Amino acid sequence: MGQKLLLTRHATARSGAARDIERPLSTDGRVQAGILAAKLKPLIQGAIVLHSPALRAAETAQIISEGAAADLISIDELYWGEEDEWLRLIPLTGQPTLVVGHAPSIPMAASMIAAGEGPDLIFQRGCPTATTYVFEVPDGLSKIGWHSCDLKDIIITPK
């Protein structure tokens, strides 16, 4: 069985911050992240958690990983970079990895790496806030690339 890779769009954020990167989660977003955390907890025990430096993504990552003995790492490329840039930063250690970022980057990356019918399913389901795409990375894969991972689930958390 391969490594679990979870690509997550942050929960709902408040509007009105002076800078986009400073927007925190809304009250509803915190609840939404808590619901998502309960669903993801069994998948991310001992995970590496990569998140965008944007406050809403960092808060989502913290809420989801609470109690999961996870290592949280802020990655600038998840806010400023292109999908192929940050996909290269995902460690292929066999350890579960959760990536918390933004739309359109998260669904685009998910569509890029999904094998088989995965891209069609991603397109059909969309990517509202607090959506997670769950992948299995095949054993022995040296780098994540086009259509290299099996999409196992799409978790969409209601607002």
Side-chain angles (χ1 to χ4, degrees):
M1 186 161 111
Q3 174 178 333
K4 291 284 182 229
L5 172 62
L6 299 92
L7 303 182
T8 300
R9 181 179 177 199
H10 63 78
T12 303
R14 289 192 325 215
S15 57
R19 296 175 41 211
D20 179 68
I21 199 167
E22 297 170 349
R23 292 190 311 126
L25 292 178
S26 66
T27 301
D28 288 344
R30 290 187 164 284
V31 170
Q32 193 181 37
I35 293 168
L36 185 58
K39 294 176 183 179
L40 298 184
K41 198 74 67 185
L43 301 174
I44 63 164
Q45 289 300 317
I48 296 169
V49 180
L50 309 176
H51 64 82
S52 158
L55 182 56
R56 61 194 178 274
E59 289 177 339
T60 300
Q62 289 167 352
I63 292 168
I64 291 173
S65 62
E66 189 174 310
D71 294 325
L72 276 75
I73 303 165
S74 180
I75 302 289
D76 287 344
E77 288 83 353
L78 283 164
Y79 187 76
W80 304 106
E82 298 292 325
E83 295 80 19
D84 58 342
E85 287 179 78
W86 60 259
L87 282 169
R88 280 183 286 204
L89 300 174
I90 294 172
L92 297 176
T93 61
Q95 195 172 356
T97 303
L98 170 67
V99 178
V100 182
H102 309 272
S105 186
I106 290 292
M108 287 182 69
S111 293
M112 287 169 56
I113 68 171
E117 295 179 3
D120 291 335
L121 293 171
I122 291 165
F123 177 74
Q124 290 169 5
R125 298 288 303 275
C127 190
T129 54
T131 292
T132 298
Y133 304 105
V134 181
F135 289 94
E136 187 170 311
V137 179
D139 288 329
L141 190 69
S142 61
K143 75 173 196 165
I144 295 174
W146 284 90
H147 310 298
S148 61
C149 301
D150 292 323
L151 179 64
K152 294 299 184 182
D153 199 4
I154 300 174
I155 301 168
I156 298 176
T157 309
K159 285 187 180 185

